[in-house]
Amino acid sequence: MCSRGCNPGYSISSSPLTNPGRLSLTVSVIRYDSPSGRPRKGVCSALLADAPTATIFPVLVRPAEHFGPPADTATPMIMVGPGTGIAPFLGFLDHRRARGDHAPNWLFFGEQHQATDFYYQDELASLRRDGILTDLDLAFSRDQRTKIYVQDRMRQQGAKLWSWLKNGARLYVCGDATRMAKDVDRALREIIAQHGNLSPADAGAYVKQLSIDKRYVRDVY
């Protein structure tokens, strides 16, 4: 992504159909103090944030195989993207709007506080008004005594999520691989077992088949 020794990957949060000459990224700037009190920062995120306007950085664009909006304009789409994991789904939704897709689209988004961490709130509201984003479930973990995450919202909407999957929906997950992706995968298996009346083993086989069919795809890091 950038020079000076950093080589992170960022998901593109725009569509070439809406603005062919522009590529957008969603970057969370990392700054913190180490246990010893020494200031630390993300090499690339801080570099991008602190660079003067119009600074040019070399970039390499690499396709993420199978991680894109459905080719079939009628295929429902479920997206799970907490934090900066929301990035590609802004591009997916813009792409579907530009193509005139008529399929329903459902986003699960989460962060810590709604007042300060509701990324793309205006853009999502616009997509809702236009009927592109048909369903939106939010999980702001620190806004109540009991922490709530996207996987909790998925469980709450388990029957509906199972119905979408039975109707051919594709499920996308983007974001943290360390905990979030594992928690979401666990919730998905529980939902399929409960609402599909399947054993844990059969639910696992169902999830495996979703992956094989490229109906359950992840971009996690």
Side-chain angles (χ1 to χ4, degrees):
M1 170 63 210
C2 22
S3 56
R4 303 189 193 177
C6 56
N7 186 32
Y10 292 112
S11 298
I12 296 173
S13 52
S14 57
S15 167
L17 295 184
T18 56
N19 196 334
R22 180 174 182 175
L23 185 151
S24 298
L25 302 176
T26 303
V27 181
S28 178
V29 184
I30 299 175
R31 302 185 198 275
Y32 63 97
D33 291 336
S34 69
S36 64
R38 180 183 178 186
R40 306 298 296 270
K41 60 184 180 182
V43 176
C44 192
S45 64
L47 176 64
L48 292 173
D50 297 339
T53 302
T55 299
I56 297 175
F57 297 103
V59 299
L60 172 65
V61 179
R62 293 183 296 187
E65 189 175 5
H66 306 301
F67 198 84
D72 183 350
T73 60
T75 298
M77 184 168 65
I78 304 168
M79 302 156 285
V80 182
T84 56
I86 193 177
F89 304 134
L90 266 294
F92 286 16
L93 292 166
D94 276 345
H95 205 80
R96 300 205 93 173
R97 173 160 53 186
R99 287 193 314 197
D101 293 9
H102 54 274
N105 302 294
W106 186 359
L107 173 66
F108 290 88
F109 171 73
E111 249 292 357
Q112 292 192 6
H113 300 286
Q114 181 169 351
T116 56
D117 306 319
F118 194 167
Y119 308 155
Y120 298 108
Q121 182 174 3
D122 292 342
E123 290 85 348
L124 293 176
S126 175
L127 288 162
R128 290 276 281 167
R129 287 193 299 269
D130 292 347
I132 306 301
L133 181 58
T134 49
D135 295 78
L136 176 63
D137 279 85
L138 303 171
F140 293 101
S141 60
R142 306 301 198 275
D143 281 351
Q144 60 283 309
R145 184 184 300 272
T146 302
K147 294 179 182 178
I148 298 175
Y149 300 102
V150 288
Q151 62 268 22
D152 300 314
R153 296 301 189 205
M154 290 173 62
R155 289 187 177 95
Q156 292 170 2
Q157 296 280 17
K160 181 177 174 180
L161 198 152
W162 170 242
S163 176
W164 278 50
L165 290 174
K166 288 196 300 179
N167 288 328
R170 292 186 65 176
L171 173 62
Y172 303 85
V173 180
C174 183
D176 169 56
T178 305
R179 293 188 59 182
M180 182 278 297
K182 296 176 182 178
D183 291 340
V184 165
D185 187 80
R186 185 179 304 111
L188 176 64
R189 293 166 187 268
E190 292 172 3
I191 289 166
I192 291 172
Q194 177 183 354
H195 298 282
N197 294 315
L198 299 175
S199 68
D202 287 341
Y206 189 97
V207 171
K208 182 178 180 179
Q209 191 61 50
L210 287 177
S211 297
I212 292 171
D213 295 339
K214 304 299 185 290
R215 290 183 51 211
Y216 174 35
V217 289
R218 309 193 303 175
D219 179 14
V220 296
Y221 40 84

